[in-house]
Amino acid sequence: MPQENKKRGRWEEKKRKREVQETGKSPKRPRSGIALDGHGPRLGQEQDVLSRPEDVPFYGLLDDDEQEYFKRADSLLELNQFKDDEERSLFLANLYSEANSKELKIACSQSCSRLMERLILMSTPDQLKALFQKFSGHFLHLAQHRFASHCCESLFLRSAPVVTQELTASLEEQQRKADTTDVYVSMENLFLFTLNELEGNFGYLVTDPFASHTLRVLLVVLSGQALANNSTNSLVQSKKKEKITVSGLPKLSELDITSRAVPESFRKALDKMISGTIAALDTTHIRALAMHPIGNPILQLLLELELSQSGKQKSKDENSLFRKLLPKYPVEEGTSSASFVNGLLFDTVGSRLLEIVIRFAPGKAFKSLYRSLFREKIGMFAKNDTAGFVVIKILERLSKEDLEHAVEMICPHITILVKRSRISVITSLIERCQVRLVDTQPIATELKQAYGEEPSARLCKILGLVPNEIEHTAKERKMLMESHEVGKVHGSLLAQRMLNSPGALRDLITDGILATDTPALLLIAKDRTATHLLQSSLTALDQTPVFRRKVIQAFSSQVIDLALDPIASHVVDSFWTASNGLSFIRERIAEELLRNETVLRGSLPGKAVWRNWKMDGFKSRKSEWMMSGKDDSNKAAKTGIELARERFKRKINSAA
């Protein structure tokens, strides 16, 4: 069979070196993109707007003395053991002075780029602006660098709150800054300059393994979204990203965990950035990005921003990202859009984009998509490991009538879902039924059949526990405490959701707890995940006194054992709330704790139990302790719906 003619070896290497010396140009960097087929074009090679710059600048290397100095400075910043703020500020000023004109070298250094990230975390707004200006003109290349890209991300995230602070600053403060002898540049303008530098290169940066993360951060900053929440972090940062921290650094401010006020120029720049990214891409290229592991997250973010800000208008615009993904609208079975959606549904990467479509699509578009592609097949989709996550997002948007139909379609498959450990779908279905006031009796019937008729064994099976394995050595107990099996976590969440759902579902859990003997209850109480169910069952506001009394009495001879356990001690804490209205049981437990005061004070969990039970008051002022317990029983905590109703009443009264 003929082989491909490859040029390799020392002679070919010498030839390439001679060509470089004669022409003075470095070898061309290969362009990256998404191959649509074996011979077709690659994303980023068709239009000039997507072309990648050939020459990558080299900023130089730090010498040995400089590397040693900056490494020591990095260790000092990480420990953050300065006497006071003045000493820290002086150290940072000296460090900035030493790093002057070396910022780009440090950012691109494998050993010292962490120093730059920590320096950014501890910098003042003026120092951040100075560093911003040092990076200006180089962001396009720094964003594509393996180490400097992380510095760009940290700089953008740390500078975002400064934009809001300047936007909300008083007029006097703004005038004072403008009157200074130095040239005043706002952080808003620095971000806009960066966007101008990157403009025209978004097409290929979205699939760059390093620059794509920087673009995501920039999108979040421009949109005003929270900088630190679960949904944002999952899109912006990789799970493998190293967490650069500084010891004792203050926690995230409110600007990091809530939405931020951003100037109008950011809104316009964001629209321009989104339109510039997708303008040169047709439906074929965008659908290829949807399956691309690097391009998919930024596509999720672009689609979320587009639909969340102006969903109804964008869904009708032919040039919008939503319409380029699904040009045939409304989507009907047998069309190319339907085939694309089905492909996303079972793809581990593409399904995440479909979740964004389900969450943020306008109501009319979602209903059309659901009734044409998902309504009659939702039970089958729920059984799939990948499509099940999309089903969860679908359930969150269904009306009461559609949810009732979904219950009919999913219930026959609950036994298979249990066998395949697809518990999260069942949990979400119960939660939505509780919100929409849909009858959960069919779900309870199927769960009872799937987990068994015997209450105690059924409960242990839901929680993923083996009741026979009760005795453990110290090493085995430690391994049991550190266990984080996903199946057990989902089982515990399912049981808690069933407990919060009144009716047959709650009866399955409460009957199981009452039918379980004390050794098995001890296993539940000492398990890291299952113990939450036991605590919730005791502290539920609408739980009957008979149930609480029987459960507490089952542990009557094991109170000290529970109190000394780092996990089960929280169950003893819940006994305080559960014994409201059961004064004789509360007093009996307190007397048991008092008899073992020395043992309890000798362990950390025991000290916590002693404090939470207010045992010092019981020991010295028993009558007052008893009266305080009665007062606590009269002050029942209000549920979330009760608080919402009170707020609504206050709003109506104030409006009147």
Side-chain angles (χ1 to χ4, degrees):
M1 180 177 179
Q3 295 182 353
E4 180 184 358
N5 185 19
K6 294 183 179 180
K7 295 181 179 181
R8 54 185 299 178
R10 292 175 296 172
W11 296 107
E12 186 62 28
E13 182 66 24
K14 290 180 180 180
K15 182 179 178 181
R16 283 195 296 268
K17 289 183 179 179
R18 283 198 306 270
E19 291 177 353
V20 171
Q21 293 173 357
E22 292 173 359
T23 60
K25 295 182 179 180
S26 59
K28 291 185 177 181
R29 179 179 177 178
R31 298 177 179 179
S32 64
I34 304 174
L36 301 178
D37 52 56
H39 308 284
R42 298 175 69 88
L43 185 62
Q45 293 183 350
E46 294 191 346
Q47 291 113 340
D48 294 337
V49 70
L50 299 181
S51 60
R52 181 189 295 273
E54 305 295 347
D55 296 329
V56 179
F58 177 64
Y59 300 111
L61 299 173
L62 299 170
D63 58 37
D64 294 340
D65 293 337
E66 290 172 338
Q67 286 194 21
E68 187 64 28
Y69 170 78
F70 288 127
K71 284 182 180 179
R72 290 200 307 269
D74 183 35
S75 62
L76 291 175
L77 284 181
E78 183 179 8
L79 295 175
N80 194 21
Q81 295 178 344
F82 301 100
K83 293 181 180 179
D84 49 26
D85 294 339
E86 183 178 356
E87 182 181 357
R88 183 188 299 106
S89 301
L90 182 61
F91 179 80
L92 291 176
N94 293 335
L95 187 56
Y96 266 107
S97 177
E98 188 67 28
N100 187 29
S101 72
K102 305 184 185 73
E103 293 87 356
L104 299 178
K105 294 182 182 180
I106 296 173
C108 296
S109 171
Q110 180 178 4
S111 58
C112 297
S113 61
R114 296 179 182 86
L115 166 68
M116 181 60 69
E117 292 191 63
R118 290 193 175 91
L119 193 60
I120 291 171
L121 291 177
M122 303 181 71
S123 297
T124 62
D126 292 335
Q127 291 170 338
L128 290 174
K129 289 182 180 180
L131 189 59
F132 229 118
Q133 293 175 351
K134 293 287 185 178
F135 283 6
S136 183
H138 305 278
F139 277 112
L140 179 59
H141 305 295
L142 294 177
Q144 301 174 70
H145 194 274
R146 178 179 180 182
F147 306 113
S149 61
H150 297 290
C151 299
C152 294
E153 294 174 33
S154 299
L155 182 61
F156 294 156
L157 288 173
R158 204 64 181 176
S159 302
V162 181
V163 176
T164 305
Q165 293 171 7
E166 293 179 348
L167 185 65
T168 57
S170 60
L171 294 177
E172 293 79 5
E173 186 177 353
Q174 295 179 11
Q175 186 64 33
R176 180 181 57 80
K177 291 181 179 179
D179 293 341
T180 56
T181 56
D182 298 333
V183 178
Y184 174 72
V185 181
S186 65
M187 190 65 77
E188 173 188 352
N189 289 332
L190 290 174
F191 272 107
L192 295 178
F193 293 154
T194 303
L195 283 175
N196 291 334
E197 182 181 344
L198 299 178
E199 187 176 357
N201 300 283
F202 298 134
Y204 71 85
L205 291 179
V206 295
T207 55
D208 187 274
F210 307 116
S212 62
H213 292 85
T214 308
L215 280 185
R216 297 175 214 169
V217 172
L218 206 51
L219 285 170
V220 172
V221 171
L222 294 176
S223 65
Q225 285 188 343
L227 300 176
N229 59 36
N230 294 333
S231 59
T232 303
N233 288 339
S234 61
L235 287 177
V236 172
Q237 297 179 352
S238 170
K239 293 182 179 179
K240 299 180 181 179
K241 179 178 173 61
E242 181 181 357
K243 308 299 181 185
I244 302 298
T245 58
V246 176
S247 177
L249 194 70
K251 294 183 178 180
L252 295 173
S253 64
E254 292 184 359
L255 292 175
D256 295 320
I257 59 178
T258 58
S259 299
R260 296 165 291 107
V262 293
E264 185 61 28
S265 59
F266 275 22
R267 306 287 185 186
K268 297 178 180 178
L270 179 62
D271 293 338
K272 186 178 180 181
M273 186 176 179
I274 295 176
S275 59
T277 303
I278 65 176
L281 303 177
D282 58 11
T283 298
T284 304
H285 284 140
I286 292 179
R287 288 182 175 180
L289 273 179
M291 303 291 190
H292 194 274
I294 297 175
N296 179 275
I298 197 168
L299 202 61
Q300 293 181 51
L301 194 54
L302 290 171
L303 189 61
E304 178 181 343
L305 295 175
E306 180 183 270
L307 294 177
S308 60
Q309 293 184 358
S310 54
K312 292 184 178 179
Q313 292 77 10
K314 288 295 183 180
S315 63
K316 300 176 182 178
D317 186 3
E318 296 291 339
N319 296 321
S320 65
L321 179 58
F322 179 75
R323 290 303 300 272
K324 283 193 173 185
L325 273 175
L326 304 173
K328 299 297 182 180
Y329 185 79
V331 180
E332 296 180 358
E333 191 70 38
T335 61
S336 61
S337 296
S339 300
F340 172 65
V341 171
N342 287 328
L344 291 179
L345 189 62
F346 298 102
D347 186 79
T348 54
V349 176
S351 61
R352 297 181 181 274
L353 180 65
L354 187 55
E355 291 181 34
I356 297 296
V357 173
I358 296 299
R359 285 179 58 193
F360 296 99
K364 187 176 180 180
F366 168 75
K367 290 179 181 178
S368 172
L369 195 66
Y370 171 72
R371 290 175 180 173
S372 60
L373 300 180
F374 298 108
R375 179 180 171 86
E376 302 303 328
K377 299 179 181 179
I378 193 169
M380 181 187 68
F381 293 153
K383 297 185 294 182
N384 186 270
D385 292 343
T386 303
F389 293 102
V390 180
V391 171
I392 292 174
K393 300 301 179 182
I394 292 174
L395 293 175
E396 293 175 357
R397 294 200 61 177
L398 293 183
S399 62
K400 182 177 181 180
E401 293 74 15
D402 289 333
L403 187 60
E404 290 174 346
H405 180 268
V407 170
E408 296 177 2
M409 300 298 293
I410 295 176
C411 276
H413 304 285
I414 284 182
T415 302
I416 299 177
L417 291 175
V418 170
K419 291 181 180 179
R420 296 181 180 179
S421 298
R422 298 296 306 143
I423 308 299
S424 55
V425 176
I426 306 174
T427 305
S428 299
L429 184 63
I430 295 174
E431 180 183 2
R432 298 311 302 170
C433 288
Q434 186 178 358
V435 172
R436 297 292 187 187
L437 302 179
V438 176
D439 183 24
T440 57
Q441 181 61 47
I443 304 177
T445 303
E446 294 295 333
L447 285 175
K448 188 174 183 180
Q449 181 178 355
Y451 283 109
E453 295 289 338
E454 205 281 314
S456 178
R458 179 176 61 231
L459 178 64
C460 292
K461 190 174 180 181
I462 293 175
L463 298 175
L465 301 176
V466 181
N468 295 329
E469 299 179 1
I470 298 171
E471 298 296 334
H472 297 278
T473 63
K475 185 177 180 180
E476 291 172 339
R477 283 281 292 116
K478 184 177 180 181
M479 293 176 62
L480 185 63
M481 288 169 54
E482 296 175 352
S483 174
H484 292 278
E485 298 177 13
V486 177
K488 292 175 65 175
V489 173
H490 286 298
S492 178
L493 293 175
L494 172 62
Q496 293 177 60
R497 178 55 57 188
M498 293 169 64
L499 184 67
N500 294 331
S501 180
L505 289 173
R506 174 180 292 179
D507 293 340
L508 290 179
I509 299 300
T510 54
D511 293 346
I513 294 177
L514 293 177
T516 304
D517 55 8
T518 301
L521 286 176
L522 280 175
L523 179 63
I524 295 175
K526 294 181 179 181
D527 185 84
R528 186 180 294 275
T529 57
T531 185
H532 295 289
L533 172 66
L534 199 56
Q535 297 171 37
S536 300
S537 67
L538 290 170
T539 57
L541 294 176
D542 53 351
Q543 192 59 267
T544 62
V546 176
F547 174 85
R548 291 185 277 120
R549 176 175 55 81
K550 289 183 177 180
V551 174
I552 295 176
Q553 288 180 342
F555 289 106
S556 59
S557 61
Q558 307 290 337
V559 173
I560 303 303
D561 183 23
L562 295 175
L564 297 177
D565 189 272
I567 297 175
S569 59
H570 297 289
V571 177
V572 182
D573 294 338
S574 66
F575 286 168
W576 173 265
T577 305
S579 58
N580 283 338
L582 303 173
S583 302
F584 66 98
I585 293 181
R586 176 177 289 184
E587 185 176 357
R588 187 189 306 166
I589 295 175
E591 291 173 352
E592 181 71 17
L593 296 176
L594 182 61
R595 285 194 295 269
N596 295 271
E597 177 182 2
T598 305
V599 179
L600 293 175
R601 290 185 179 275
S603 68
L604 290 177
K607 288 180 181 178
V609 171
W610 184 273
R611 181 178 61 254
N612 294 332
W613 269 76
K614 308 172 187 177
M615 288 303 297
D616 289 330
F618 178 80
K619 183 178 179 181
S620 57
R621 299 178 300 277
K622 184 176 180 180
S623 58
E624 295 181 8
W625 183 87
M626 295 294 295
M627 291 301 298
S628 66
K630 293 181 180 179
D631 293 339
D632 291 341
S633 63
N634 295 328
K635 297 178 182 179
K638 296 180 180 179
T639 62
I641 190 63
E642 290 174 343
L643 294 174
R645 286 169 179 165
E646 288 185 358
R647 288 194 298 267
F648 181 74
K649 289 180 180 179
R650 288 196 298 267
K651 186 177 180 180
I652 295 298
N653 294 333
S654 61

